[in-house]
Amino acid sequence: MEISEDKIRQLIRQVITEQSDPYRVPIGVSNHHIHLSQEDFDKLYPGQKMKIKKQLKQPGEFATEQTANIIGPAGKIEHVRVLGPVRSHSQVEIARSECFGLGIDAPIRLSGHLDGTPSIKIQTPDAEISVQGVIVAKRHIHMSLEDGKRFGVKMGDVVSVQIESQDRRTTYDDVVCRPRKDFVLEMHLDTDEASAANVRDDTFGHIILPKEN
Amino acid sequence: MEISEDKIRQLIRQVITEQSDPYRVPIGVSNHHIHLSQEDFDKLYPGQKMKIKKQLKQPGEFATEQTANIIGPAGKIEHVRVLGPVRSHSQVEIARSECFGLGIDAPIRLSGHLDGTPSIKIQTPDAEISVQGVIVAKRHIHMSLEDGKRFGVKMGDVVSVQIESQDRRTTYDDVVCRPRKDFVLEMHLDTDEASAANVRDDTFGHIILPKEN
């Protein structure tokens, strides 16, 4: 098997990073998904309970067996997965590249920040409802309180993350830190961001703190 | 109309950049597209000529009225536009996020670098052919020879480009410079990269040269 100089460089960077980088952060890629309130879940899946398909990395979060279609003025996306547990307000997260096909100009927001966000139809074989709360996820890092102390950041602080991937090295700024007792260290990117930076299963990020003023 | 602090910051950055930045580079976003050899064009569109729909920014390049479906082992994308003029070898450029749906793991390559690239079926009402040469475009900047001199870069040099967009500021590394007599200054990003960096019509890049060794 031939191995390119670029590949060797990437491997060296990766091994060095893994062995010695205290600012290393694992990357989790979020495909489009739906969060539902109990009320909306009961409308869309009458008589059903959330059926866990897969635990996610953040404790208590899981992908369910349930999917639904989301329908905008210009088009739809089928089989969008519902994540659990239920939330106080329903919310649909899509990639920015999907806004065009749906005909919805969703703003870039942190989860739960739904003021003034557009609506979308959610459709199952049993029901079709309209939900206000379509967003494109703002880049963020889940972390424990200990991680927050270690990095010297608090909830809402903004950092940059450098991604040393092959052929598409990228630095993402505007990344919001979210330290919380029950969180596990993980940067969340959506499918656009992961593809743009050529993120693979073995790709990590490196947190860059803002320079002292 | 309310205007957020973030929006004001972005506007200030933009105006300052426009007025004073010699390293400013316009951004062109490339959707998935097809380049065809004359032979393949004649098979797919027998008796037709390329019909110009729109001139592109690079002189002599144009979008045609012709589209085709591209079909991989896992799925297809319909109505993919053919760009002109014809080339010596056919080539299909897709976004990395589209690789999954098609079932094709296309490498990240500069245009025309097709050694060992996978094949795909191209389908029109008149024909279906298999073409070897599916790539995900490597980030690059078209520029005139004068631009090349001004930046101090030659064909193949690699730079970074900082994108000061709202909510998703990003620095893309691994950007290849392509100065040529008939080129016009323009950074090409694909739809993944443009969405990941929240590139809008009024978003520009800022070229960062590698540090002197």
Side-chain angles (χ1 to χ4, degrees):
Chain A
M1 178 193 157
E2 254 192 273
I3 187 156
S4 68
E5 274 191 37
D6 255 14
K7 182 70 189 171
I8 293 170
R9 254 182 231 114
Q10 188 220 355
L11 289 171
I12 294 169
R13 278 189 205 112
Q14 194 179 309
V15 171
I16 291 172
T17 302
E18 281 170 15
Q19 290 193 341
S20 64
D21 183 2
Y23 291 94
R24 188 172 79 143
V25 56
I27 297 172
V29 181
S30 303
N31 202 352
H32 48 229
H33 61 271
I34 301 170
H35 297 283
L36 291 174
S37 65
Q38 187 66 57
E39 191 189 341
D40 286 342
F41 182 84
D42 290 340
K43 281 182 198 158
L44 291 167
Y45 307 96
Q48 293 186 44
K49 293 197 167 175
M50 281 190 168
K51 200 174 159 197
I52 298 178
K53 181 186 167 75
K54 192 185 153 194
Q55 295 289 346
L56 300 180
K57 191 164 178 183
Q58 298 307 318
E61 301 282 311
F62 53 89
T64 74
E65 294 286 356
Q66 280 93 359
T67 63
N69 300 334
I70 57 174
I71 306 174
K76 68 174 172 177
I77 303 176
E78 295 184 322
H79 313 303
V80 178
R81 194 153 303 279
V82 174
L83 301 192
V86 292
R87 294 196 172 185
S88 57
H89 196 293
S90 296
Q91 169 179 316
V92 175
E93 296 183 41
I94 58 176
R96 179 151 170 71
S97 60
E98 295 167 335
C99 289
F100 311 105
L102 291 168
I104 293 180
D105 189 12
I108 295 164
R109 293 283 179 83
L110 285 176
S111 188
H113 292 62
L114 304 179
D115 285 1
T117 55
S119 297
I120 198 166
K121 281 184 188 149
I122 306 181
Q123 181 193 56
T124 62
D126 288 304
E128 184 177 298
I129 63 172
S130 179
V131 157
Q132 188 250 327
V134 186
I135 63 169
V136 173
K138 195 167 165 76
R139 301 164 186 162
H140 59 277
I141 305 176
H142 295 268
M143 59 178 77
S144 68
L145 296 180
E146 290 68 33
D147 291 324
K149 272 187 202 159
R150 187 160 65 85
F151 297 134
V153 298
K154 58 182 193 307
M155 179 69 78
D157 280 358
V158 174
V159 299
S160 298
V161 174
Q162 193 174 8
I163 298 171
E164 290 285 336
S165 61
Q166 191 176 12
D167 295 318
R168 287 189 155 182
R169 286 178 301 136
T170 299
T171 302
Y172 283 135
D173 305 314
D174 292 327
V175 184
V176 180
C177 294
R178 303 178 68 186
R180 211 172 77 180
K181 198 179 167 182
D182 56 336
F183 277 165
V184 170
L185 186 62
E186 184 182 35
M187 178 191 201
H188 277 186
L189 294 179
D190 69 14
T191 43
D192 287 336
E193 293 166 325
S195 294
N198 197 20
V199 169
R200 308 281 175 142
D201 289 343
D202 59 354
T203 310
F204 286 82
H206 168 86
I207 295 175
I208 301 169
L209 299 173
K211 284 175 193 136
E212 304 269 340
N213 291 320
Chain B
M1 179 192 158
E2 254 192 272
I3 187 157
S4 69
E5 272 191 39
D6 257 13
K7 182 70 189 172
I8 293 170
R9 256 182 230 112
Q10 189 221 356
L11 289 171
I12 293 169
R13 279 190 205 111
Q14 194 179 309
V15 171
I16 291 172
T17 303
E18 281 170 15
Q19 290 194 341
S20 63
D21 183 2
Y23 291 93
R24 188 173 78 144
V25 57
I27 298 171
V29 182
S30 303
N31 202 352
H32 48 229
H33 61 270
I34 301 170
H35 297 282
L36 291 174
S37 65
Q38 187 66 58
E39 190 188 341
D40 286 341
F41 182 85
D42 290 340
K43 281 182 198 159
L44 291 167
Y45 307 96
Q48 294 185 42
K49 294 198 165 175
M50 281 190 168
K51 199 175 159 196
I52 298 178
K53 181 187 167 76
K54 191 186 154 192
Q55 296 289 344
L56 301 179
K57 190 163 177 183
Q58 298 307 316
E61 301 283 311
F62 54 90
T64 74
E65 294 285 354
Q66 280 93 358
T67 63
N69 300 333
I70 57 174
I71 306 173
K76 68 173 172 178
I77 303 176
E78 295 184 320
H79 312 301
V80 177
R81 194 153 303 279
V82 175
L83 301 191
V86 292
R87 294 196 172 184
S88 57
H89 197 293
S90 296
Q91 170 179 313
V92 175
E93 297 183 39
I94 59 176
R96 180 151 169 73
S97 60
E98 295 168 336
C99 289
F100 311 105
L102 291 168
I104 293 180
D105 190 12
I108 295 164
R109 293 282 180 84
L110 285 176
S111 189
H113 291 62
L114 304 180
D115 285 2
T117 55
S119 296
I120 198 165
K121 280 184 191 147
I122 305 180
Q123 181 192 55
T124 62
D126 288 304
E128 184 177 298
I129 63 172
S130 179
V131 157
Q132 188 250 327
V134 186
I135 64 168
V136 173
K138 194 166 165 78
R139 302 165 186 161
H140 59 278
I141 305 176
H142 295 268
M143 60 179 77
S144 68
L145 297 180
E146 290 69 33
D147 291 323
K149 273 186 200 159
R150 187 159 65 84
F151 297 134
V153 297
K154 58 183 193 307
M155 180 68 79
D157 280 358
V158 175
V159 298
S160 298
V161 174
Q162 194 174 8
I163 297 171
E164 289 284 337
S165 61
Q166 190 174 14
D167 296 318
R168 287 189 156 183
R169 286 178 301 136
T170 299
T171 301
Y172 283 134
D173 304 314
D174 292 328
V175 184
V176 180
C177 294
R178 302 179 69 186
R180 211 174 76 181
K181 197 180 167 182
D182 58 335
F183 277 165
V184 169
L185 186 62
E186 183 181 35
M187 177 190 202
H188 277 185
L189 295 179
D190 69 13
T191 43
D192 288 336
E193 293 166 325
S195 294
N198 198 19
V199 170
R200 308 281 174 142
D201 289 343
D202 59 354
T203 309
F204 286 81
H206 168 88
I207 296 175
I208 300 170
L209 299 172
K211 285 175 192 135
E212 304 270 339
N213 289 320

